[in-house]
Amino acid sequence: MGKQETKYWIARRRPGTLRFEPPSERMIASNDDVDGGNGYFSLALDVAGDGVVEWDLTQQVVAFSARWCELMGLPAVSMVATVEAWERLVHQDDAAMLFATLNGLTAACPRTELSYRVRCADASYKRMTLRATLVCDANGVRTRILAWQNDRPTPSTSRASLGELRDDAASPLAGQLLMTERLDAVVAQTRREGRSNFVMLAIDVDGFTAISASYGKEAANRLLAAVGERLRSCVHPLDTVARYGCDEFCVLLRCSSDSPLATTVSEQIQRALADPFMLEGRAVAVSVSVGIARVLPTHYCAADVSRDAYAAVHHAKMSGGNQCALFDDGMHETTKARLQLEAELRHAFERGQFRLHYQPIVSCVTGALVSLEALIRWEHPTRGCLPPSAFLDVLASTGLLNDVGRWIVGEACRQLATWRKAGACDAYISINVSPMQLVEQGFIEDVVAILAETGASPGWIAFEITEDLALGDTEIAMRALIKLREHGIRVRIDDFGTGYSSLSYLQRLPVGGLKIDRTFLEQFESDAHRRAIVGAIIQLAHVLGVDVVAEGVERREQLEELRVLNCDLVQGYFLSPPLSSDGIRQWIERRTLSS
């Protein structure tokens, strides 16, 4: 049985104008570079994905992770700068405070958190939250400062820095400042009493970015306010509910150490949000991921509790969202492993370890090669050739997704141009694209530029787009599809039957084909119901004038049934697994010799 491919979506690199000095390819320190529990991975346990800064106190240089650069509107690649260059980016009113605080860290007091403003690529200033840890060598000598930061205000920043976050008397929710004060108080009480009587819930709205993109920022904020009201109704009046960051909330509950109250409240929250919200006259479904962390005597401050709660909510989201997760120490280990993979992925792109493999798509009747689907692989130095399912989700958190996506399009076009010039292949290349990427400004222009650069013809490529295209702005998507067609680039709807669209919706789209999801082909030759569904899709698609690809063909019996049903194209391990460029050329040569 062949393995299911994880689709890869191409992404457009956002241009940036800011440049650091001096230029360098040096990466952020790995876990091998620091020890004593205060190093990069220990710090990263608190953040798992936010921008990372490393200040080397011996060489007086500062390294910025790809995520930090992305937050600043720069290309998502790691950079190194002099301390003076970093200082020039900091707002003049914050620079003295920032560097005095960092320089004041000692072995006895090695940690701090603060807020400061830094200049972005477009010359505007953004307020950043920073939590820093001093690292010393075995002799107690200061060697480096490791920090994470994001654009969410820090809960323990001074009132002067967070004036805009003061509690709003008209709001049913607390502000971050009040929540942090209460959390610090219960941490101190828990340490004094030596027992746990409080729990923190971290709550993250699933898919909020897509909602904001579809309805606009103002409407999305109204939605969050409505979500906050429902959250408030789920807890006791004396419990604290606060709004954190853009799409995050947190709840501080009082409960005994053996009480299931936190889980009960989490379930109540899930039920309370089950009913759709009305937004711009349309019903919008909202789900949340909930992380639960108990306030323990081993915690020293509010940040320690928040760290555990957000590690748990991260685990809930990575498990598919719309669920709750209770923090345990194993989550730290999971985070450490994930960050190790992130560091390796950054090196992988820099060192050219990514490859494209290609899976044939052939005529169901004649067996002739029609197309090749491009699928990314990672040639890991110790784990061998890894499929996208092993790293794709983590790749998105490194800030490299844009660059890797552009590389996929360029590499596929260059390879096909080489094959066609040599007369080895006259097929076209299929490349997976996300609906959100399709409607991103400048996406089509980037593709046209790549075609011109590689010498590939627009008719040589096809984009496969999942059918949840209908969930976004349909009119913008329609214009993008029409523009692709005007450029001569074909489009196919991928994984048809698993999303929300229908054949009537398909009739409106300027697409040339659809791909039936592999799940419909599982045992379909012996399942009359599935066979009828596949047959109906093929017949109705032909009425609409589009061709059909059946993916996941693993057995001869499936192929024979698809021929009877008049399917146009087929793809699957029975015909060929994904192969390297050399493997595909040999596969083509063997078929030519045997024909």
Side-chain angles (χ1 to χ4, degrees):
M1 190 69 154
K3 298 178 181 178
Q4 181 169 344
E5 283 291 333
T6 299
K7 303 301 183 183
Y8 186 83
W9 297 338
I10 52 178
R12 189 172 77 89
R13 177 175 177 164
R14 292 191 294 271
T17 57
L18 189 59
R19 294 292 182 267
F20 292 108
E21 50 192 59
S24 172
E25 293 298 324
R26 181 174 179 275
M27 293 299 296
I28 299 297
S30 70
N31 59 329
D32 297 327
D33 296 326
V34 291
D35 50 27
N38 291 324
Y40 175 76
F41 279 97
S42 177
L43 182 68
L45 293 177
D46 294 353
V47 294
D50 290 330
V52 179
V53 183
E54 177 193 3
W55 181 359
D56 189 322
L57 299 174
T58 59
Q59 300 184 35
Q60 286 302 303
V61 294
V62 184
F64 303 89
S65 71
R67 175 57 178 157
W68 188 93
C69 294
E70 186 178 36
L71 287 170
M72 305 309 298
L74 293 163
V77 295
S78 301
M79 293 185 181
V80 174
T82 63
V83 179
E84 292 77 14
W86 184 23
E87 188 172 3
R88 287 198 294 271
L89 297 176
V90 180
H91 193 284
Q92 61 180 5
D93 294 340
D94 297 342
M97 175 273 298
L98 171 67
F99 289 99
T101 302
L102 295 180
N103 284 316
L105 294 176
T106 65
C109 186
R111 298 180 180 178
T112 189
E113 54 183 322
L114 51 84
S115 174
Y116 74 104
R117 289 164 289 179
V118 60
R119 192 171 75 248
C120 299
D122 61 3
S124 66
Y125 281 91
K126 177 183 287 189
R127 182 170 292 281
M128 302 292 283
T129 292
L130 181 139
R131 183 185 295 167
T133 296
L134 174 68
V135 179
C136 300
D137 63 16
N139 298 319
V141 177
R142 293 161 39 103
T143 59
R144 66 188 67 187
I145 293 174
L146 297 170
W148 65 265
Q149 67 181 37
N150 55 40
D151 51 3
R152 298 190 303 271
T154 176
S156 59
T157 305
S158 67
R159 291 181 182 270
S161 298
L162 293 177
E164 67 273 20
L165 292 177
R166 295 181 186 278
D167 299 324
D168 184 351
S171 171
L173 305 184
Q176 282 189 326
L177 190 58
L178 178 58
M179 169 60 80
T180 303
E181 289 174 348
R182 291 181 178 177
L183 189 53
D184 273 328
V186 301
V187 167
Q189 177 183 335
T190 300
R191 287 179 60 80
R192 287 195 308 269
E193 298 177 354
R195 65 176 185 272
S196 175
N197 291 318
F198 296 90
V199 168
M200 177 178 176
L201 307 183
I203 302 168
D204 192 298
V205 179
D206 299 324
F208 181 74
T209 300
I211 295 173
S212 182
S214 298
Y215 294 94
K217 183 176 180 180
E218 183 178 345
N221 282 334
R222 292 200 302 272
L223 175 65
L224 288 175
V227 169
E229 291 176 0
R230 293 195 192 180
L231 292 178
R232 179 71 265 181
S233 68
C234 294
V235 301
H236 190 277
L238 296 180
D239 293 327
T240 305
V241 181
R243 170 89 175 268
Y244 262 44
C246 175
D247 56 349
E248 301 165 347
F249 300 85
C250 66
V251 178
L252 182 60
L253 302 173
R254 174 186 287 273
C255 61
S256 61
S257 59
D258 58 350
S259 170
L261 177 61
T263 302
T264 301
V265 171
S266 298
E267 294 171 350
Q268 290 175 349
I269 289 172
Q270 301 282 6
R271 289 195 296 270
L273 298 178
D275 292 334
F277 293 80
M278 294 304 298
L279 196 63
E280 303 295 323
R282 297 174 61 182
V284 177
V286 172
S287 67
V288 293
S289 298
V290 182
I292 306 172
R294 187 168 295 281
V295 181
L296 300 174
T298 54
H299 289 140
Y300 283 87
C301 62
D304 291 339
V305 183
S306 297
R307 173 200 63 199
D308 292 349
Y310 277 97
V313 78
H314 178 74
H315 179 81
K317 292 185 76 68
M318 291 301 100
S319 300
N322 193 26
Q323 56 186 287
C324 64
L326 179 64
F327 173 79
D328 61 56
D329 291 335
M331 292 179 183
H332 278 173
E333 296 303 315
T334 300
T335 303
K336 288 170 70 174
R338 182 180 178 88
L339 288 209
Q340 175 66 38
L341 187 58
E342 285 186 8
E344 292 177 348
L345 277 169
R346 293 190 180 97
H347 287 295
F349 186 62
E350 292 177 344
R351 296 169 181 173
Q353 294 175 355
F354 290 124
R355 304 284 185 270
L356 285 187
H357 282 198
Y358 304 88
Q359 187 170 34
I361 300 174
V362 306
S363 167
C364 189
V365 177
T366 67
L369 178 64
V370 176
S371 178
L372 294 164
E373 182 175 4
L375 300 161
I376 192 171
R377 296 290 187 269
W378 177 11
E379 293 288 350
H380 193 280
T382 58
R383 297 169 60 190
C385 183
L386 300 180
S389 58
F391 62 87
L392 194 59
D393 289 341
V394 180
L395 184 67
S397 67
T398 65
L400 293 174
L401 198 59
N402 293 344
D403 290 329
V404 174
R406 182 180 177 87
W407 173 84
I408 287 178
V409 181
E411 179 66 17
C413 290
R414 276 188 291 273
Q415 181 62 75
L416 186 58
T418 299
W419 282 333
R420 283 183 170 255
K421 185 177 181 180
C425 173
D426 60 359
Y428 61 87
I429 290 285
S430 296
I431 303 171
N432 295 285
V433 183
S434 75
M436 291 184 66
Q437 190 58 42
L438 176 70
V439 300
E440 184 181 2
Q441 184 177 4
F443 166 74
I444 297 176
E445 289 75 8
D446 278 356
V447 172
V448 172
I450 290 174
L451 292 173
E453 176 187 344
T454 59
S457 168
W460 296 358
I461 64 172
F463 289 142
E464 296 189 359
I465 303 172
T466 53
E467 62 172 315
D468 55 357
L469 178 70
L471 296 181
D473 190 318
T474 305
E475 296 308 315
I476 294 178
M478 192 73 69
R479 288 196 295 270
L481 291 173
I482 292 172
K483 196 170 182 179
L484 284 174
R485 184 173 63 181
E486 291 173 349
H487 281 288
I489 299 170
R490 69 189 80 189
V491 176
R492 176 179 286 122
I493 300 299
D494 194 15
D495 298 335
F496 188 83
T498 61
Y500 300 88
S501 67
S502 64
L503 286 170
S504 61
Y505 175 74
L506 181 65
Q507 187 176 15
R508 298 180 53 211
L509 298 177
V511 298
L514 61 84
K515 180 179 283 188
I516 301 175
D517 185 72
R518 66 181 61 244
T519 56
F520 288 102
L521 266 66
E522 294 175 359
Q523 306 300 325
F524 99 111
E525 68 270 29
S526 59
D527 187 327
H529 181 65
R530 291 192 181 189
R531 187 179 186 279
I533 292 174
V534 172
I537 292 175
I538 293 171
Q539 291 180 33
L540 291 175
H542 288 168
V543 169
L544 296 176
V546 299
D547 64 25
V548 180
V549 180
E551 66 174 339
V553 176
E554 313 291 351
R555 299 176 297 279
R556 180 178 296 279
E557 293 78 10
Q558 291 173 315
L559 179 60
E560 294 300 330
E561 287 293 339
L562 290 167
R563 285 173 175 165
V564 173
L565 295 175
N566 200 27
C567 184
D568 300 292
L569 305 170
V570 288
Q571 173 184 6
Y573 274 65
F574 176 71
L575 303 162
S576 172
L579 300 171
S580 66
S581 56
D582 289 339
I584 280 292
R585 186 158 185 166
Q586 294 171 10
W587 182 87
I588 294 173
E589 290 173 352
R590 287 196 301 269
R591 288 170 61 89
T592 301
L593 291 174
S594 62
S595 61

